[in-house]
Amino acid sequence: VLILHAADLHLSEAERDYTFPILDEIVGIAQREEAGLLLFAGDMFDSFQDLERLHGELRTRLECLRPACRVLMVAGNHEHLRAPEAAVDAMRRMSFGRAQLLSQEPFQVVPPEGESGVEVVGLPHRLRYTDYLTWAVPPPAAGRARVVLAHAALTGASYLGPDPEEAPSVMDVDLLERLGADYAAMGHLHTPKTVKVGGVTVCYPGSARVWRKGEAGPRGVSLVNVGQGPLRLRRVRLATAGEYRLVPVELGLEGDAPDLDRAAAGWGPRDAVDIELSGLVEDEHAAERTRAALEIRYRGRVRLLEVRLASVSSIAGISRNALAARYLELWRAREAEIEAAHGPEVARRVLRAGLDKIKTILETRKQVSA
Ligand SMILES: [Mn+2]
């Protein structure tokens, strides 16, 4: 069966216009590829309130799926954020239409459907899974592949460490092996990652959207063929998710920025662009003017734009200082040569390193004379 596996969409009321088109794109991929199973591995909603307010909208958006496509999901830690005590009972009373929420603790077995169907074991999100050795999980049905659907970080494999900013919820990979899973459809880690542990292919498709700063690289879902011959896995990119792009910019002495239009031509309208200005400048007001100008220039071109003064330091009159003047004179004589050999970025960094050194010398002198 062809499975479309997505995770961590974090649908939210505040970002309705950003997140729902991504859901539509995922549904469109399931249609185009004729997926037989659509799995959502948790954090479909950004909080319990978002789940309460938006689950009807989710129901509507899933209606167009062909009847042969089954939709299963588990809750993640975010569906429990700011949730009332009986959150799981509340979730069970909600109607998700085409989607079935696997909420039975600690696991829920969904028997295969049709001749080529796979068996799915849902593990609703918990803070701890340490009692798993006592779970009475039946062995996989004869001749059927088993898929585990879960939302957790994993231990037992050092390269799958927990996300430091997220809730603990760590699962031992041994649990996945004991369940006899062929494929573990995981959510929780926002960076895409696939590893083979014993006989289990463990896959995190990563967040289906840019959820916070630093989530760089294309967002996507996994398309996996399970149950017919060897497991085949491929990644499909989500165009509507855009990308997070960190753009480091080194300012010149006058607070001037290099031309960013070439780089900006590669930015998409759904991207989150984070321009980080650094450098040593004569006048910090000039740096602030550059910052404001860049904001005006690129605002509206991307979904989110931030232009920040990250590590800009200023030293007034440095170009009039004898030592600095001599250094700048030597620098200008060799600037073209260094730029040609190493590119403008390296050239700016070399200039900055020299001026930083001079700044330190001047400051030390001041302290000594004071
Ligand atoms: Mn998440």
Side-chain angles (χ1 to χ4, degrees):
V1 65
L2 183 66
I3 301 172
L4 196 162
H5 164 205
D8 296 271
L9 179 54
H10 292 257
L11 291 168
S12 79
E13 263 205 311
E15 294 171 293
R16 190 184 258 276
D17 295 344
Y18 171 51
T19 51
F20 274 102
I22 304 172
L23 175 63
D24 292 338
E25 188 179 2
I26 294 170
V27 167
I29 296 167
Q31 290 291 83
R32 188 184 76 216
E33 301 287 339
E34 302 190 342
L37 191 54
L38 175 52
L39 299 177
F40 290 111
D43 284 6
M44 175 69 111
F45 299 93
D46 200 45
S47 69
F48 183 81
Q49 279 93 332
D50 291 309
L51 163 71
E52 256 186 329
R53 290 173 193 162
L54 299 175
H55 72 279
E57 180 86 30
L58 169 69
R59 193 170 58 220
T60 309
R61 307 269 176 149
L62 296 176
E63 267 165 15
C64 64
L65 280 167
R66 56 194 196 103
C69 183
R70 189 154 55 145
V71 188
L72 302 175
M73 57 186 193
V74 287
N77 51 309
H78 273 263
E79 278 84 7
H80 291 278
L81 274 190
R82 297 181 289 278
E85 244 173 57
V88 176
D89 290 328
M91 287 181 209
R92 283 176 184 150
R93 283 193 299 270
M94 292 175 197
S95 160
F96 298 98
R98 290 292 305 277
Q100 185 187 351
L101 178 73
L102 306 182
S103 62
Q104 192 183 296
E105 297 256 16
F107 64 87
Q108 181 170 351
V109 179
V110 182
E113 224 171 44
E115 272 173 33
S116 62
V118 295
E119 190 180 63
V120 178
V121 180
L123 307 177
H125 169 80
R126 296 171 130 196
L127 286 180
R128 261 165 226 90
Y129 301 88
T130 43
D131 61 344
Y132 73 92
L133 290 172
T134 66
W135 300 357
V137 186
R144 299 299 189 139
R146 177 174 272 182
V147 171
V148 170
L149 179 60
H151 187 90
L154 289 170
T155 58
S158 54
Y159 33 81
L160 291 176
D163 186 332
E165 287 186 39
E166 284 284 350
S169 72
V170 178
M171 181 184 280
D172 197 306
V173 285
D174 179 56
L175 162 58
L176 301 174
E177 287 192 77
R178 274 173 192 269
L179 286 173
D182 296 279
Y183 181 76
M186 305 297 295
H188 193 51
L189 302 186
H190 285 197
T191 305
K193 229 170 256 182
T194 304
V195 288
K196 186 108 195 241
V197 185
V200 196
T201 299
V202 180
C203 176
Y204 287 92
S207 48
R209 45 77 56 92
V210 176
W211 184 64
R212 66 167 173 234
K213 277 187 177 191
E215 290 183 0
R219 305 288 92 199
V221 295
S222 295
L223 263 181
V224 58
N225 233 304
V226 182
Q228 299 128 310
L231 186 140
R232 288 188 310 278
L233 176 67
R234 69 190 158 99
R235 189 172 166 73
V236 179
R237 192 186 167 145
L238 295 168
T240 54
E243 285 188 46
Y244 167 81
R245 295 177 194 274
L246 177 65
V247 184
V249 172
E250 183 79 29
L251 295 177
L253 257 189
E254 277 96 61
D256 53 310
D259 186 14
L260 293 180
D261 281 355
R262 275 257 304 265
W267 302 341
R270 308 274 292 173
D271 286 355
V273 171
D274 187 8
I275 302 177
E276 194 182 72
L277 304 177
S278 57
L280 180 64
V281 298
E282 294 223 70
D283 172 10
E284 54 194 289
H285 300 293
E288 172 50 34
R289 279 195 297 277
T290 299
R291 196 202 62 74
L294 287 172
E295 208 168 69
I296 290 164
R297 184 166 185 81
Y298 298 113
R299 194 172 44 201
R301 295 262 293 266
V302 292
R303 181 176 64 85
L304 288 175
L305 174 72
E306 198 178 345
V307 189
R308 335 179 247 122
L309 298 175
S311 60
V312 173
S313 52
S314 65
I315 179 156
I318 192 170
S319 60
R320 290 190 303 277
N321 171 272
L323 180 60
R326 177 76 187 126
Y327 174 73
L328 285 169
E329 194 184 311
L330 287 169
W331 164 258
R332 278 178 193 129
R334 293 199 55 200
E335 187 179 2
E337 181 196 331
I338 294 171
E339 258 202 48
H342 306 286
E345 294 235 339
V346 172
R348 272 173 180 265
R349 281 211 296 277
V350 171
L351 173 63
R352 167 90 193 265
L355 290 171
D356 273 340
K357 199 143 209 175
I358 292 167
K359 186 185 178 193
T360 311
I361 293 168
L362 296 179
E363 280 166 356
T364 315
R365 274 189 200 163
K366 248 184 239 161
Q367 277 164 19
V368 170
S369 61

